[in-house]
């Protein structure tokens, strides 16, 4: 039991980790000269060292070529977004034409709702999870109102059915069958941001479609965390951001997926010139001819500087491979779980499902004894260079990220909690 808590044990796990070299590819924030045990890659991923060169390349091109930069070199701005397409498609398990990097997450959600939330009097409702990320709920509620419907009846929220705040597939299935005939849309997260619960996307898409609804996913906490098979999961659309597990920097350009079956859709959409077929975009004609596939939802020429770091990050995902990352992630989070089980149970309750198939890397930990104790532990950890994040009223989220966290980081967390539990 105490073996788990030894430096030698953590060091052996790190030495046996085939991905250990990737930590050196990131800038690690320091505290008192020592790298933080950084467990908030679910909030803002660390900076890949390669990001700077990509940003500087853009600045240099701008300085030396100005407008010509749109049309010169391998990284010409005209189709800069295409540089990340194949890498993104592999990370989310999609065909290249099904994905696009554009805008930010909530903007993409609205743009895709314009096309994929088409409420009618008979089918006005959206099914979502209770306790969804506020931005998603605000977006959905405003869309319901925008179409002249009433969120009180037409936003249907599925409540957690377990004491730890998780939602069973059976509860989702019950809600879909209960409300099926009224559902225009099911919008579900890949990984729940608060509990860390991962969902069976393929099954949710199947249930939603069987009820006659459109199905969309918010993958903010799933992309770069779990291997995804978006095409096969059969969602109609999905959205995500790139500043969490994708390490592309604060406010990085986000991502969107539109299933290939909608590549030539006649659904309405909000259009802009960057969604126009590039072959004739610069003819500047009055009529909008959408690019087939996800590209057709673009509005503007993208912010190149906010897209550049994603190239560095995707190169790392490419080299490491999602399946190897996931294998390490299960070991790393499994080690955290084992340490909690063996030594930290009196202080912490794990809210995230135990089954690795139902979680990504994050564990959500309720601090026993209420908010004040929770805050005290959180501050104790921060003072020791162990950074998680705080969710009211008493939850600390810890996300060991396989690209840059180590087993030694996880041990540091466990030791700091033990030290606090013994002293308090
Ligand atoms: C992080 C996150 C967001 C953030 O939205 P932005 O538009 O990127 O600011 C939205 N939804 C979910 C579920 C998130 O986890």
């Amino acid at each position: 039991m105490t073996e788990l808590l030894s430096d030698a044990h953590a060091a052996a796990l790190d030495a046996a980790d085939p991905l250990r070299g990737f930590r050196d590819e990131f800038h690690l924030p320091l505290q008192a000269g020592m790298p933080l045990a950084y467990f908030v890659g679910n909030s803002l991923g660390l900076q890949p060292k390669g990001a700077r060169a990509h940003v500087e390349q853009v600045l240099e091109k701008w300085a030396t070529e100005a407008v010509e930069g749109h049309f010169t070199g391998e990284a010409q701005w005209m189709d800069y977004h295409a540089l990340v397409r194949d890498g993104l498609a592999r990370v989310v398990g999609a065909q290249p034409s099904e994905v696009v990097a554009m805008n930010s997450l909530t903007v993409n959600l609205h743009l895709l709702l314009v096309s994929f939330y088409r409420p009618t009097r008979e089918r006005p409702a959206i099914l979502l999870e209770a306790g969804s990320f506020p931005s998603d709920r605000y977006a959905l509620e405003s869309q319901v109102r925008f179409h002249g419907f009433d969120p009180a009846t037409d936003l249907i929220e599925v409540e957690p059915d377990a004491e730890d705040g998780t939602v069973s597939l059976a509860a989702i299935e019950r809600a879909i069958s209960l409300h099926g005939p009224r559902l225009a849309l099911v919008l579900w997260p890949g990984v729940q941001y608060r509990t860390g619960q991962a969902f069976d996307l393929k099954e949710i898409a199947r249930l939603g479609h069987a009820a006659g609804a459109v199905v969309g996913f918010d993958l903010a906490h799933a992309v770069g965390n779990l291997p995804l098979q978006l095409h096969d999961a059969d969602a109609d659309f999905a959205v995500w951001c790139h500043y969490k597990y994708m390490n592309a920097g604060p406010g990085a350009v986000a991502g969107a997926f539109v299933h290939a079956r909608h590549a030539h859709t006649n659904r309405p959409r909000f259009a802009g010139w960057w969604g126009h077929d590039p072959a004739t975009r610069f003819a500047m004609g009055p009529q909008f001819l959408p690019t087939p596939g996800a590209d057709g939802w673009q509005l503007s020429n993208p912010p190149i500087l906010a897209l550049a770091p994603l190239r560095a990050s995707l190169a790392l995902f490419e080299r490491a491979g999602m399946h190897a990352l996931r294998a390490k992630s299960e070991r790393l989070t499994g080690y955290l779980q084992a340490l909690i089980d063996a030594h930290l149970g009196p202080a912490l309750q794990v809210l995230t499902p135990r089954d690795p198939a139902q979680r990504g890397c994050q564990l959500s930990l309720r601090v026993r004894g209420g908010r004040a104790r929770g805050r005290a532990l959180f501050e104790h950890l921060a003072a020791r260079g162990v950074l998680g994040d705080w969710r009211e009223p008493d939850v600390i989220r810890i996300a060991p990220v396989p690209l840059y966290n180590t087993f030694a980081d996880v041990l540091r967390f466990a030791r700091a909690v033990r030290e606090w539990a013994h002293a308090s």
Side-chain angles (χ1 to χ4, degrees):
M1 284 298 241
T2 47
E3 221 251 339
L4 276 181
L5 271 175
S6 76
D7 286 320
H9 184 71
L13 292 171
D14 278 319
D17 166 19
L19 301 182
R20 65 185 177 279
F22 282 92
R23 179 175 171 90
D24 290 336
E25 303 285 348
F26 291 87
H27 289 290
L28 299 165
L30 305 178
Q31 178 169 307
M34 194 182 156
L36 288 176
Y38 189 85
F39 293 117
V40 275
N42 55 352
S43 192
L44 183 71
L46 292 180
Q47 182 184 136
K49 288 179 181 166
R52 187 177 297 265
H54 287 292
V55 172
E56 280 176 354
Q57 183 195 43
V58 178
L59 289 172
E60 183 62 19
K61 212 173 174 63
W62 178 23
T64 57
E65 301 178 35
V67 72
E68 291 302 317
H70 284 101
F71 314 106
T72 58
E74 58 85 38
Q76 57 177 17
W77 304 330
M78 256 293 284
D79 36 33
Y80 198 89
H81 69 280
L83 295 172
V84 298
R85 183 195 310 289
D86 290 356
L88 275 184
R90 277 189 285 274
V91 167
V92 301
Q95 298 170 3
S97 62
E98 291 176 315
V99 298
V100 62
M102 61 180 186
N103 311 310
S104 50
L105 188 164
T106 309
V107 172
N108 288 343
L109 180 57
H110 275 299
L111 288 176
L112 292 173
L113 289 172
V114 165
S115 299
F116 292 103
Y117 173 52
R118 306 295 303 158
T120 61
R121 201 180 286 280
E122 296 72 36
R123 271 188 188 274
I126 301 177
L127 190 88
L128 71 158
E129 44 150 0
S132 67
F133 194 90
S135 196
D136 299 48
R137 197 180 186 290
Y138 303 152
L140 295 173
E141 177 171 348
S142 66
Q143 287 272 342
V144 169
R145 286 188 203 284
F146 174 77
H147 285 282
F149 293 95
D150 181 0
T153 50
D154 299 333
L155 265 192
I156 299 171
E157 297 180 87
V158 183
E159 295 288 341
D161 56 337
E163 183 268 336
D164 57 13
T166 58
V167 187
S168 68
L169 193 59
I172 300 169
E173 186 164 10
R174 274 194 304 275
I176 290 176
S177 77
L178 182 62
H179 300 285
R182 293 190 68 248
L183 291 183
L185 173 70
V186 173
L187 189 91
W188 208 260
V191 173
Q192 217 285 340
Y193 81 100
R194 202 183 142 76
T195 63
Q197 181 182 13
F199 292 96
D200 181 341
L201 298 182
K202 189 170 186 167
E203 185 57 14
I204 291 170
R206 191 187 68 74
L207 292 167
H209 287 154
V214 169
V215 178
F217 294 128
D218 184 327
L219 302 175
H221 282 262
V223 169
N225 180 11
L226 291 170
L228 296 168
Q229 295 300 333
L230 265 187
H231 177 83
D232 291 343
D234 211 34
D236 294 286
F237 72 93
V239 294
W240 61 88
C241 54
H242 287 134
Y243 49 82
K244 293 173 180 166
Y245 295 107
M246 292 306 295
N247 312 312
V253 173
F257 164 92
V258 178
H259 196 279
R261 69 175 161 277
H262 301 299
H264 298 275
T265 186
N266 291 321
R267 286 171 177 269
R269 73 176 108 198
F270 285 171
W273 75 319
W274 228 251
H276 191 285
D277 183 353
T280 52
R281 182 185 299 151
F282 288 89
M284 303 288 207
Q287 206 202 335
F288 177 71
L289 287 174
T291 313
D295 270 12
W297 274 265
Q298 295 172 102
L299 297 182
S300 301
N301 74 100
I304 305 293
L305 286 166
L307 200 46
L310 184 57
R311 296 183 67 193
S313 177
L314 282 172
L316 297 176
F317 276 91
E318 197 72 28
R319 261 172 56 207
M322 270 320 293
H323 288 280
L325 283 167
R326 175 60 175 164
K328 174 176 174 184
S329 178
E330 289 188 14
R331 288 195 295 274
L332 200 56
T333 296
Y335 178 51
L336 175 58
Q337 174 94 54
L339 282 163
I340 294 169
D341 288 348
H343 299 290
L344 311 178
L348 301 173
Q349 176 197 0
V350 181
L351 301 179
T352 309
R354 294 191 71 85
D355 172 10
Q358 292 184 59
R359 69 187 185 200
C361 72
Q362 169 188 323
L363 292 188
S364 300
L365 307 171
R366 172 175 288 149
V367 185
R368 299 188 197 273
R371 185 177 188 282
R373 272 181 70 78
R375 285 302 306 180
L377 173 58
F378 185 70
E379 275 149 33
H380 173 88
L381 292 172
R384 272 148 197 79
V386 177
L387 203 62
D389 77 359
W390 176 256
R391 292 290 140 179
E392 294 291 349
D394 55 4
V395 173
I396 296 174
R397 300 187 308 173
I398 296 291
V401 169
L403 267 175
Y404 48 76
N405 282 121
T406 59
F407 292 88
D409 286 341
V410 172
L411 179 59
R412 248 174 97 186
F413 164 81
R415 285 228 182 105
V417 175
R418 237 165 88 94
E419 179 187 73
W420 173 81
H422 287 168
S424 66

